[in-house]
Amino acid sequence: MTAQQSAPAKKSVPQKATISIFALAMLNIVAVVSLRGLPAEAEYGLGSIFYYLFAAVFFLVPVSLVAAELATGWPERGGVFRWVGEAFGGRWAFVAMFVLFIEVSVWFPTVLTFGATALAYTDDNLSFAERLSSDKAYILLVVLAVYWLATFIAMRGASAFSGVAKWGGMIGTIIPAALLIVLGFSYLIAGNPSQIKLGWGELIPDFGNFSNVVLAASIFLFYAGMEMNAIHVKEVKNASRNYPIAIGIAALGTVVIFVLGTLAIAFVVPQSEINLTQSLLTTFNDVFRWAGIEWAAPIMAVALAVGVFAGVVTWVSGPSSGLLSVAKAGYMPRFWQVTNKHGMATHILIAQAGIVTLLSAAFVLLPSVQSAYQILSQLASILYLVMYLLMFGAALYLRYSQPNRPRPYKIPGGAAGMWLIGGAGFIASALAFFFSFFPPSQVPTGSPGTYVGFLLGLAIVFVAIPLIIYAVRKPHWRQKDDDFAPFTWQIEGGHPGVVSESSVPTPELLRSAQAQTGAQSGGAAPGADAQGPSTPPRHRGEGEPPSPGEQH
């Protein structure tokens, strides 16, 4: 047993709020915005505006508003795991968090490879930069060094990684995006020819082209991640007010950066010359040369690399914290519940780093894996959408299973408003999930049947893993002194499938349960702040792990 586990009294001290509105907004912008994806959409010219706005209305806005309601209505730790667990119980909550964890692990090597490429372009000699960016040993060294550094920063806790995200996001995302937009539009306004057709008619894409329809679905995932930092809602100052404000700022900033940044690239780079990994850097080189500030190109390359680093730090901490909540709820062995003095899941973070290291080595060193890895990236999108389907489903269900539970932020319009916003998000996620199984035209995948079967088979495997672990869980996996608060239906002795008319706010319900537990035990029991009262066995739905009071 670790020092943290043997000293439960320390866990009863509430963690101080350390994340401001600006820091949370920046955390979300950095988590969502990736400038490296803009060249892919620049090929569609003005039509990209339609896709961005369509996805923002039917996906980004629903994700942001639904996450705000869920995070303020059920603010205890856990994020998506807690929200889905409140609605459907621990089994599907485990699935939601596990597929998110796997998705992120697959994503890291690709984004870090872009960061390594950006660093290569800090050299004034472009031919050398191109050779260096193709050097596998260099790429692997940078990828692993940056990821492990990000892991150690994440282990320092919320104040450390939010600080990195805030300033790294400013340097590597906000400032480069602003420069790209200003210089790209200035290039056009100065009378230089646009590389795309301009006109109102170009705003409407050709929906007769099936690849455009697939793009309309895939672009939804450009906005993925806005819900992730809801895991840290307890570290937000005045969360019921500041969390929705920060989400709104982040959503608006994200749309503006994507739309204007994509157009800036489209104005400057010919569509036939767009390269998915280098076009962003060459765009900066072109506009800096036009503006007479070629010396700024290497500086911008460094800034973009810093932005990648900030995004990785943000994503390292989020899913690992969520999986820690899964473990502390009693669904994973105690080995995965170990935390350091900052409350970070050390064993989970190290295991995740090991997975990323293996994937990075395969991705960088084995050329034959390139196509397979692109297919795995598509699998990551499918898994992410499974999580979103569960999240939107939970938001809709909770309006009926816990209708009176106070939500400091609540989507307006009553049940109709939730069905409009949450329903739009659910349908959009379902459509994106369906189209994710269609082979992308730019990836050689061989037989379409084999491609679909491979994706479907792996998706089933990764959904099945948490279901199997849940089925074989042991009562002793949940410790007496853990700091994971039980679900509200557990505190009330209910079941996720039974309607609760309770109007007691979740934090107040938990405090009352703590006080009752302390009184029954003749004083504050160790870890009582996290456990709540013992749940009668006959009400423990879905075979939930017994509370500590029932285990002995």
Side-chain angles (χ1 to χ4, degrees):
M1 182 174 291
T2 66
Q4 287 77 25
Q5 292 170 330
S6 62
K10 293 181 179 179
K11 293 186 175 182
S12 63
V13 179
Q15 186 167 346
K16 293 181 179 179
T18 56
I19 304 180
S20 64
I21 290 179
F22 177 71
L24 182 61
M26 197 59 58
L27 274 170
N28 281 288
I29 289 176
V30 172
V32 173
V33 174
S34 174
L35 299 182
R36 73 187 182 95
L38 301 187
E41 308 312 316
E43 292 189 46
Y44 297 89
L46 290 180
S48 63
I49 297 177
F50 174 88
Y51 293 124
Y52 278 127
L53 295 181
F54 180 84
V57 170
F58 290 98
F59 188 74
L60 176 63
V61 170
V63 167
S64 303
L65 297 183
V66 165
E69 173 170 323
L70 292 173
T72 55
W74 294 268
E76 299 302 319
R77 292 185 184 278
V80 172
F81 172 70
R82 178 165 298 280
W83 309 336
V84 175
E86 289 285 353
F88 306 126
R91 177 183 290 108
W92 292 107
F94 192 175
V95 170
M97 186 52 64
F98 186 81
V99 295
L100 176 61
F101 181 81
I102 294 298
E103 181 275 332
V104 170
S105 298
V106 173
W107 171 80
F108 280 128
T110 58
V111 68
L112 285 170
T113 297
F114 171 77
T117 301
L119 278 179
Y121 276 81
T122 58
D123 194 288
D124 291 330
N125 187 334
L126 292 182
S127 62
F128 173 78
E130 291 176 2
R131 290 196 304 272
L132 183 61
S133 64
S134 301
D135 186 280
K136 297 174 183 177
Y138 160 78
I139 294 293
L140 182 59
L141 178 64
V142 173
V143 166
L144 296 183
V146 171
Y147 183 82
W148 280 93
L149 177 60
T151 297
F152 288 124
I153 290 176
M155 287 185 180
R156 302 288 298 174
S159 60
F161 64 73
S162 66
V164 171
K166 179 173 68 175
W167 296 111
M170 284 293 295
I171 295 170
T173 301
I174 304 302
I175 293 176
L179 282 173
L180 176 67
I181 293 167
V182 170
L183 291 176
F185 276 81
S186 297
Y187 176 89
L188 182 68
I189 294 172
N192 293 287
S194 170
Q195 301 298 329
I196 59 172
K197 294 180 180 180
L198 301 178
W200 293 109
E202 300 297 325
L203 292 171
I204 306 300
D206 177 15
F207 292 109
N209 186 338
F210 184 73
S211 64
N212 285 345
V213 178
V214 174
L215 172 70
S218 64
I219 204 171
F220 290 156
L221 288 208
F222 267 60
Y223 293 120
M226 193 65 77
E227 81 296 333
M228 186 194 67
N229 287 300
I231 289 174
H232 307 298
V233 68
K234 291 192 73 175
E235 284 82 56
V236 178
K237 301 173 183 176
N238 191 9
S240 61
R241 171 185 175 272
N242 292 347
Y243 183 85
I245 293 175
I247 288 295
I249 294 172
L252 179 61
T254 297
V255 173
V256 170
I257 290 173
F258 276 151
V259 170
L260 299 186
T262 297
L263 292 180
I265 295 174
F267 293 152
V268 177
V269 181
Q271 289 175 294
S272 60
E273 298 179 11
I274 289 179
N275 179 288
L276 300 185
T277 59
Q278 298 179 357
S279 287
L280 181 61
L281 298 164
T282 56
T283 301
F284 276 114
N285 288 335
D286 291 344
V287 294
F288 284 158
R289 189 181 304 112
W290 167 77
I293 53 174
E294 296 96 328
W295 52 267
I299 298 175
M300 185 52 57
V302 173
L304 291 172
V306 170
V308 169
F309 178 65
V312 169
V313 171
T314 302
W315 277 96
V316 165
S317 59
S320 63
S321 297
L323 203 60
L324 176 63
S325 295
V326 173
K328 289 190 172 183
Y331 306 144
M332 294 173 65
R334 293 191 180 193
F335 176 83
W336 302 110
Q337 302 175 30
V338 174
T339 59
N340 61 15
K341 64 181 181 181
H342 302 290
M344 302 305 293
T346 51
H347 287 184
I348 292 176
L349 285 168
I350 294 298
Q352 179 175 285
I355 294 171
V356 172
T357 298
L358 292 175
L359 287 174
S360 299
F363 176 52
V364 174
L365 297 179
L366 302 177
S368 61
V369 178
Q370 298 293 328
S371 179
Y373 192 87
Q374 289 177 330
I375 296 176
L376 287 178
S377 296
Q378 195 75 356
L379 172 67
S381 298
I382 291 171
L383 294 176
Y384 210 159
L385 288 165
V386 170
M387 185 277 292
Y388 277 120
L389 287 169
L390 288 169
M391 186 187 83
F392 284 120
L396 290 165
Y397 189 78
L398 284 169
R399 281 293 187 97
Y400 295 92
S401 65
Q402 298 187 37
N404 301 322
R405 189 77 61 201
R407 297 145 165 92
Y409 172 80
K410 190 173 185 178
I411 293 175
M418 172 54 79
W419 276 105
L420 178 64
I421 301 298
F426 186 90
I427 293 172
S429 298
L431 288 174
F433 179 83
F434 173 75
F435 283 114
S436 292
F437 286 96
F438 286 86
S441 58
Q442 70 271 27
V443 180
T445 57
S447 167
T450 301
Y451 175 85
V452 173
F454 182 78
L455 287 178
L456 184 60
L458 283 179
I460 292 173
V461 167
F462 285 121
V463 169
I465 288 174
L467 293 176
I468 293 172
I469 297 174
Y470 181 90
V472 301
R473 70 197 184 285
K474 307 298 182 183
H476 66 268
W477 286 0
R478 182 158 191 177
Q479 304 180 64
K480 291 183 178 181
D481 59 350
D482 72 62
D483 59 356
F484 179 79
F487 298 116
T488 55
W489 52 265
Q490 286 179 311
I491 297 174
E492 295 174 334
H495 184 282
V498 176
V499 175
S500 169
E501 299 293 343
S502 172
S503 61
V504 180
T506 301
E508 183 179 328
L509 183 68
L510 185 61
R511 285 194 296 269
S512 176
Q514 294 163 2
Q516 181 181 358
T517 301
Q520 291 175 350
S521 61
D529 62 310
Q531 297 296 337
S534 299
T535 305
R538 65 181 182 277
H539 293 303
R540 212 175 46 244
E542 292 195 354
E544 297 291 342
S547 66
E550 296 174 28
Q551 293 177 13
H552 302 285

